[in-house]
Amino acid sequence: MKNNIYIETYGCQMNFADSEIVTSLLSREGYSLVRDINTADYILINTCAIRDNAEQRIRKRLRELRALQRSRQWVKIGILGCMAERLKDQLMAEEDNVSFIVGPDAYRNLPAMLKRIQNGERLAETLLSESETYDDIDPIRYDTNGITAYISIMRGCQNYCAYCVVPYTRGRERSRNAQSIVREAADLFDKGYREVTLLGQNVNSYRWKDADTGAEVGFPQLMEMVAKVNPLLRVRFATSHPKDLSDELLRVMASYPNICRCIHLPVQSGSARMLKLMNRHYTPEWYLDRIDAIRRYIPDCSITTDVIAGFCGETEEDHQATLEMFRRVRYDYAYMFKFSMRPNTYAEKHLQDDVPDEVKTRRLEEIIALQGQIALENNQREVGKVFEVLVEGVSHRSEQQLFGRNSQNKVIVFDRGDIKPGQYVNVKVVRCTAATLIGEVAK
Ligand code: SAH
Ligand code: SF4
Ligand code: F3S
């Protein structure tokens, strides 16, 4: 029986978490995961559709895989994830070397599909679900350092930001059983993991009702439940939508030292007009009020963001407002993107992609340059401070050095000594770059 599967993952952390679920679903049916693509019988590509270039990359990868299929003609290729959901039959028609297409809510069908495609059938399963959370599936963490792990706590999104495909590729928002989340965190801790990141497109709207007790669990309560698993287990989360970042959550964060001092709060734009067009449901004033609240409850919290340059109708003034927002907040890190018009979104149906590409590029470069400067200055202020670091592994630059992160999620590199990955160690920062703190173990 041909049963070697190889899986390649693109896109966000949620896709990586899904690949671990897919691996689990297939292993219990007798398939084995291989790490060398040249030994695979099935190649699964878990895809992202967020920007056009994400999809172009997959198209290119499919062309490259044709060569491999020429020498191993029985190899079947499948497309999973957001691009599978978005393009469905179109992908099947355009990519004749693809045998199966599976959307994010249909992974339970995979074992049956792999059997059926053996006789030459080509199949697509892309039904979205209102209830699937895979909460009974134990993810197989095949690409792990054994120290940090993701836990999916919800799926889908229904915020319908005007530019975004996610509500169409991942369906309605639904929360996973809180007990199963806590169980997964406890199990990871027992296996030696020391950090979990709770994942969802908008974790603040997590809501789950306990069928036995009738108790409602919101995100702050869930954070508390996971933080209580063990004080040595760090807890992070991503992503929170500014419109519903509550004081209650900030209070919970402040009272548990093992909840990490880092909030990813995507701003997208600093212009009130753009935010309205983007359907973000907050104003720059509201956003800055949330930043103030974070600083009030958790003074040492780092703040990171996502931003889009060149959304529909963005003027020079709107762009300046974004730069101003960056100067006001002084983010520790930012994911910065050039707007990419996506089919079927509100923007595509009702707005014009009217900012010329070279203007988008120039604005993006200005944001990147400013952010680089701010990140460096923020890091310079950390020099001399001592942080508790969870050691993750050997530094990429030198065998003699280890790296880890502080609670603020900043990477710190330091001399190895006799310290091992998985340990907590106090490190004093002695130097920095815009991306990394360099330290020495504190006496
Ligand atoms: N749920 C998360 C974001 C998921 S997508 C949130 O709401 O914050 C990650 C980021 O990709 C978004 O925050 C946005 O900055 C960017 N993005 C989404 N759609 C985009 C598009 N059409 N063009 C450019 N960037 C986009
Ligand atoms: Fe996309 Fe907005 Fe949902 Fe984030 S909140 S996934 S940007 S629609
Ligand atoms: Fe991409 Fe889907 Fe994530 S579109 S960013 S993989 S939710």
Side-chain angles (χ1 to χ4, degrees):
M1 181 186 157
K2 299 249 186 287
N3 65 358
N4 283 349
I5 57 164
Y6 176 88
I7 186 161
E8 211 166 86
T9 310
Y10 298 81
C12 66
Q13 295 158 340
M14 264 154 279
N15 253 15
F16 284 81
D18 279 2
S19 289
E20 299 178 338
I21 286 171
V22 166
T23 304
S24 177
L25 281 164
L26 286 171
S27 325
R28 41 185 218 195
E29 300 292 326
Y31 294 90
S32 354
L33 183 77
V34 294
R35 306 310 299 274
D36 174 3
I37 195 166
N38 295 308
T39 60
D41 303 309
Y42 301 92
I43 298 174
L44 281 57
I45 307 184
N46 195 356
T47 61
C48 174
I50 200 83
R51 284 166 290 274
D52 185 58
N53 57 13
E55 292 195 353
Q56 293 313 325
R57 212 170 140 204
I58 304 294
R59 298 279 194 172
K60 179 161 169 271
R61 185 68 181 133
L62 285 172
R63 288 194 292 277
E64 285 166 12
L65 289 175
R66 283 180 191 276
L68 183 143
Q69 273 177 312
R70 270 194 290 278
S71 55
R72 294 170 63 82
Q73 288 178 7
W74 66 90
V75 170
K76 306 277 187 204
I77 296 180
I79 303 290
L80 281 56
C82 291
M83 193 177 166
E85 189 65 45
R86 195 181 87 70
L87 292 173
K88 303 174 188 152
D89 307 335
Q90 191 187 329
L91 212 48
M92 203 66 120
E94 291 168 1
E95 306 286 348
D96 61 5
N97 61 334
V98 169
S99 305
F100 55 110
I101 306 260
V102 202
D105 286 346
Y107 295 144
R108 285 184 204 267
N109 299 327
L110 260 168
M113 289 172 80
L114 294 197
K115 289 209 178 73
R116 283 180 58 197
I117 59 173
Q118 275 309 325
N119 49 33
E121 261 185 286
R122 298 175 78 215
L123 298 171
E125 296 273 2
T126 52
L127 262 191
L128 287 170
S129 155
E130 296 200 349
S131 58
E132 180 65 272
T133 59
Y134 301 107
D135 64 349
D136 57 321
I137 310 293
D138 266 331
I140 293 189
R141 298 188 153 86
Y142 56 86
D143 201 9
T144 181
N145 56 10
I147 297 160
T148 59
Y150 296 125
I151 302 181
S152 234
I153 65 161
M154 56 198 299
R155 301 182 71 83
C157 180
Q158 55 212 48
N159 286 312
Y160 293 97
C161 300
Y163 49 81
C164 184
V165 289
V166 173
Y168 310 95
T169 64
R170 297 209 154 234
R172 305 287 291 174
E173 188 177 281
R174 65 218 98 120
S175 298
R176 174 181 167 190
N177 181 324
Q179 307 297 349
S180 81
I181 296 169
V182 173
R183 226 177 296 125
E184 191 172 327
D187 181 52
L188 285 166
F189 185 81
D190 289 343
K191 289 182 174 139
Y193 286 81
R194 289 296 173 263
E195 184 179 297
V196 293
T197 304
L198 308 187
L199 291 182
Q201 293 294 359
N202 177 10
V203 290
N204 308 113
S205 52
Y206 177 88
R207 195 151 297 281
W208 180 77
K209 194 165 176 171
D210 192 319
D212 300 333
T213 65
E216 284 245 348
V217 180
F219 188 61
Q221 291 80 45
L222 178 71
M223 282 299 283
E224 197 156 13
M225 288 161 72
V226 178
K228 279 181 175 159
V229 164
N230 196 298
L232 288 177
L233 182 69
R234 279 184 171 181
V235 190
R236 300 187 188 277
F237 59 96
T239 298
S240 30
H241 194 302
K243 76 177 160 67
D244 25 46
L245 179 76
S246 68
D247 283 30
E248 191 189 359
L249 174 66
L250 297 175
R251 276 193 291 270
V252 168
M253 288 181 72
S255 51
Y256 288 88
N258 58 325
I259 300 182
C260 289
R261 269 66 184 123
C262 177
I263 298 184
H264 185 62
L265 204 64
V267 66
Q268 313 299 2
S269 169
S271 148
R273 202 176 67 85
M274 284 295 108
L275 289 172
K276 197 159 184 359
L277 269 185
M278 288 173 163
N279 194 34
R280 288 290 286 179
H281 296 285
Y282 56 83
T283 59
E285 293 72 33
W286 167 275
Y287 185 90
L288 286 168
D289 170 75
R290 295 293 77 207
I291 298 292
D292 286 345
I294 295 170
R295 306 246 196 257
R296 206 162 50 239
Y297 286 103
I298 318 164
D300 60 342
C301 195
S302 74
I303 301 174
T304 61
T305 203
D306 294 351
V307 68
I308 298 175
F311 184 60
C312 305
E314 188 188 72
T315 62
E316 214 45 47
E317 199 182 338
D318 297 317
H319 168 59
Q320 288 302 326
T322 296
L323 294 174
E324 186 52 30
M325 179 63 88
F326 272 60
R327 283 186 211 106
R328 292 278 289 274
V329 181
R330 301 188 59 80
Y331 297 107
D332 289 290
Y333 189 84
Y335 296 91
M336 299 162 277
F337 308 106
K338 198 153 83 165
F339 172 62
S340 163
M341 183 65 102
R342 306 308 288 133
N344 290 320
T345 55
Y346 178 91
E348 199 243 0
K349 289 182 186 147
H350 304 282
L351 306 172
Q352 295 293 324
D353 187 7
D354 53 3
V355 179
D357 192 58
E358 52 295 356
V359 176
K360 285 182 187 171
T361 304
R362 195 251 306 148
R363 288 180 188 167
L364 179 64
E365 282 167 358
E366 286 176 15
I367 301 171
I368 292 172
L370 173 62
Q371 178 52 33
Q373 180 64 32
I374 292 170
L376 178 63
E377 288 165 10
N378 285 356
N379 278 354
Q380 282 163 346
R381 278 191 215 141
E382 312 290 37
V383 173
K385 292 186 194 163
V386 175
F387 291 105
E388 183 177 65
V389 172
L390 172 61
V391 185
E392 288 180 34
V394 176
S395 159
H396 309 294
R397 289 228 196 97
S398 156
E399 277 281 301
Q400 298 315 311
Q401 293 201 306
L402 295 173
F403 81 96
R405 281 163 212 272
N406 64 7
S407 177
Q408 288 76 4
N409 210 25
K410 290 193 178 175
V411 173
I412 305 192
V413 175
F414 57 94
D415 281 346
R416 180 170 202 155
D418 50 8
I419 294 154
K420 297 201 172 46
Q423 288 181 345
Y424 285 102
V425 50
N426 287 327
V427 178
K428 182 174 179 181
V429 179
V430 292
R431 287 183 295 126
C432 71
T433 66
T436 316
L437 302 176
I438 298 122
E440 51 197 32
V441 175
K443 301 284 172 312

